Amino acid sequence: MALRSLDNALPLSPERPKKIAKVAVSLPCTPPKTVVNDENTGPMDPAPEYVASHDLKALNEPEAKVEALLNRLDSKDWMAVCEALNDVRRLSLHHASLLVPILDKVVLVLVKSMKSPRSALCKTSLMASADIFQCFGHFLLSSPPANEAFDQLLLRLLLTASQDKKFVCEEAQKTTLIMTSSLPPCPLLQKLASYVKHTNLRVRAKAAVCISNCVSKMAHEGMKEFGLSNLIKIAADLLNDRLPEAREAARCIGNSVHGAFVAGRELEKTTEMEAPEAWQEFCSSNLPAISAQAMVNIARQ
């Protein structure tokens, strides 16, 4: 039997139209905006400009930029603050003398920006900190106002390097490396040493890594100036820390101190005792028995 079409099979009624018109709707196509994938605010913000230090050019009329800099850094617009921080970087690299009178105030802005929930602003602040460390390393620790501001920046930097956001954490770790290679080691070690007993175990670990990086670049005289006994006590304290990162840093510090201790004996032509025995005596005279044996074992590895 031939099948009739459905249209022919159904009776016509006023409620049933014979044909249903198909309407194609054309939507306008707009190009996607450039956005930054911020972990806290979502992918809806325009991306700031991340420029490597060697690509930053000198400013035109830098004096005028300095006059307006603090007001720009205090802007409520976070993108405007990022632009101002990039000018801070340019001033540091190409017009450093102009930034000196307000450096302490600029450093406090860096601290504030690192507290921002916007990862992009935090990263820009870290990049600016790295350039300031390279250009003003000695001045930061010799000028009382800048030194006081740096104390706040150091804590904030360790806290930022301890957070879970990979985007920010990696930049903070790069900044700490630049800090330990740019600032005078002994004054910096004195500041870092106060954080190896911090209540935040991640801060302790980051401080331990900074101390290890700093000590690894020091010769015997530099360690002797800070105090070999002080360094070995720091290493012993960290050796039992809860985080593996801190314990590994402690072992690196212990090895560095041991190397400096042996080098010092060679320089001083000390021969009354063999180096291993002298190292064991040094550890025993500065540490409890268990800690002393642990440091001796590290040197043997």
Side-chain angles (χ1 to χ4, degrees):
M1 177 186 292
L3 295 177
R4 293 183 301 170
S5 68
L6 187 62
D7 281 342
N8 293 330
L10 296 175
L12 295 177
S13 66
E15 290 79 11
R16 177 177 173 265
K18 288 186 177 181
K19 294 183 179 180
I20 299 175
K22 295 181 179 181
V23 179
V25 180
S26 177
L27 297 176
C29 181
T30 56
K33 294 182 180 180
T34 302
V35 297
V36 56
N37 189 11
D38 193 297
E39 298 170 12
N40 294 282
T41 59
M44 294 302 294
D45 294 320
E49 188 179 14
Y50 302 127
V51 185
S53 298
H54 57 79
D55 290 330
L56 289 167
K57 307 300 182 184
L59 291 166
N60 295 323
E61 301 181 354
E63 293 83 0
K65 290 285 187 181
V66 170
E67 290 179 5
L69 185 63
L70 291 178
N71 286 334
R72 293 172 60 208
L73 289 171
D74 195 39
S75 173
K76 302 300 181 183
D77 181 349
W78 72 274
M79 280 293 291
V81 177
C82 286
E83 293 172 2
L85 287 172
N86 279 330
D87 282 347
V88 167
R89 299 177 64 200
R90 292 183 177 92
L91 287 164
S92 299
L93 296 167
H94 301 289
H95 319 280
S97 61
L98 297 176
L99 201 58
V100 168
I102 59 170
L103 186 61
D104 57 316
K105 297 180 177 63
V106 170
V107 170
L108 292 177
V109 172
L110 299 179
V111 176
K112 179 182 177 181
S113 298
M114 283 186 204
K115 296 178 181 179
S116 172
R118 295 189 180 273
S119 298
L121 177 56
C122 190
K123 177 171 179 174
T124 305
S125 178
L126 288 164
M127 296 175 76
S129 299
D131 288 331
I132 284 179
F133 290 151
Q134 291 187 82
C135 299
F136 297 99
H138 286 268
F139 183 79
L140 278 173
L141 300 183
S142 60
S143 165
N147 191 7
E148 185 176 345
F150 173 75
D151 287 340
Q152 298 185 48
L153 179 59
L154 177 58
L155 175 57
R156 179 49 49 183
L157 181 57
L158 294 174
L159 287 167
T160 304
S162 303
Q163 61 181 253
D164 294 325
K165 291 185 287 185
K166 185 178 180 181
F167 174 69
V168 172
C169 188
E170 289 180 350
E171 193 64 38
Q173 291 176 359
K174 293 178 187 176
T175 304
T176 59
L177 282 173
I178 292 173
M179 177 186 70
T180 54
S181 62
S182 301
L183 272 64
C186 285
L188 179 59
L189 281 174
Q190 291 172 358
K191 293 181 180 295
L192 288 168
S194 63
Y195 292 106
V196 296
K197 295 184 179 180
H198 197 275
T199 54
N200 185 323
L201 72 167
R202 291 188 177 183
V203 169
R204 290 200 305 270
K206 298 305 177 184
V209 172
C210 287
I211 292 172
S212 175
N213 291 335
C214 194
V215 169
S216 68
K217 298 177 176 66
M218 297 172 70
H220 169 259
E221 289 302 321
M223 289 194 217
K224 187 177 179 180
E225 180 184 349
F226 180 77
L228 292 174
S229 60
N230 292 332
L231 287 171
I232 204 67
K233 289 173 183 176
I234 290 173
D237 286 340
L238 291 167
L239 201 57
N240 296 315
D241 200 270
R242 289 170 56 190
L243 287 184
E245 188 179 20
R247 298 196 298 271
E248 178 59 28
R251 286 188 284 270
C252 292
I253 296 168
N255 281 324
S256 294
V257 176
H258 175 256
F261 179 83
V262 173
R265 284 174 53 83
E266 292 176 354
L267 288 172
E268 296 167 2
K269 307 296 182 182
T270 305
T271 58
E272 71 276 4
M273 188 182 296
E274 293 294 326
E277 289 77 13
W279 172 248
Q280 184 164 4
E281 182 178 306
F282 171 77
C283 293
S284 299
S285 62
N286 288 283
L287 300 171
I290 297 177
S291 298
Q293 189 58 49
M295 298 313 297
V296 170
N297 292 338
I298 287 174
R300 290 173 178 170
Q301 294 174 358

